[in-house]
Amino acid sequence: MAEPPSDIEEHVSLDLHHLSATYKVPAETGEALTAQARDATQLLVAGLFALPVEKTNEGPVITLPAATTALPREKPVPQPRAETKWEKFAKEKGIAPKKKRSRMAWDEEREKWAPAWGYDKVGGDEADAPIIEVSERDAAEGVDPREEARAEKKARVAKNAAQRDANDARAR
């Protein structure tokens, strides 16, 4: 392969990251265009062979340098979306958006992260505790703390179901 003339390097910009060689001077004829393409390709290949080679099991590998040419976007930058009525009202009144609650919370008893709600939640269920303290008054009255916890949970579940049914009826 013939080496391109040395003054060609002034007229060609190489971007080895994108494997592109761009001629800065326009060609006047078809023969000149062919010559420019040949010279730019030779410079590009010579630039690739000048990079340091690393030998691996798959064969020789080169790491391409950082890009020198910024490529344009395929589509235009999206326009900022319009504010909703609520966002506009909240901005006028100085209402800050709610902070999102984290799904996980630190459980001091178990000393690990656990869901803030739901199965295996922080604090756990009192019914799952192996030992429950009972006050002397409750012990004298014969009150079972586990039975109380079950009754309270049933009441909460029933209240939740009633509220859900009321919401469903209102939505229809």
Side-chain angles (χ1 to χ4, degrees):
M1 183 168 20
E3 284 293 317
S6 60
D7 65 332
I8 299 290
E9 293 178 11
E10 300 172 359
H11 302 295
V12 177
S13 65
L14 288 177
D15 185 357
L16 295 178
H17 181 81
H18 295 299
L19 303 177
S20 68
T22 309
Y23 233 91
K24 298 175 187 173
V25 180
E28 285 113 23
T29 65
E31 291 175 7
L33 180 62
T34 305
Q36 284 183 351
R38 182 198 62 233
D39 294 343
T41 305
Q42 287 177 349
L43 280 175
L44 180 64
V45 171
L48 288 175
F49 277 103
L51 293 174
V53 176
E54 179 183 329
K55 302 236 186 268
T56 65
N57 292 337
E58 289 81 26
V61 175
I62 60 170
T63 304
L64 296 176
T68 57
T69 306
L71 296 179
R73 290 175 57 106
E74 178 185 358
K75 296 180 180 171
V77 177
Q79 298 295 323
R81 65 179 184 85
E83 283 186 333
T84 62
K85 286 183 181 181
W86 166 253
E87 289 169 342
K88 187 176 179 183
F89 174 78
K91 188 191 279 184
E92 289 172 3
K93 298 293 181 179
I95 301 171
K98 281 187 177 181
K99 299 278 188 239
K100 275 197 159 196
R101 273 187 18 193
S102 173
R103 172 82 175 107
M104 303 299 275
W106 182 254
D107 189 355
E108 295 292 334
E109 293 175 13
R110 294 183 284 178
E111 295 184 352
K112 69 173 194 174
W113 289 96
W117 60 87
Y119 177 74
D120 198 29
K121 67 182 177 185
V122 171
D125 214 1
E126 204 172 282
D128 294 339
I131 299 172
I132 299 176
E133 291 184 29
V134 180
S135 66
E136 290 182 23
R137 194 183 97 231
D138 287 347
E141 293 176 8
V143 175
D144 183 10
R146 292 188 193 282
E147 196 57 45
E148 270 186 358
R150 275 189 219 105
E152 287 173 6
K153 183 165 184 174
K154 277 188 179 182
R156 285 194 311 268
V157 169
K159 179 183 174 192
N160 190 8
Q163 288 177 336
R164 185 187 65 233
D165 293 343
N167 285 339
D168 288 345
R170 234 182 289 128
R172 289 184 202 147

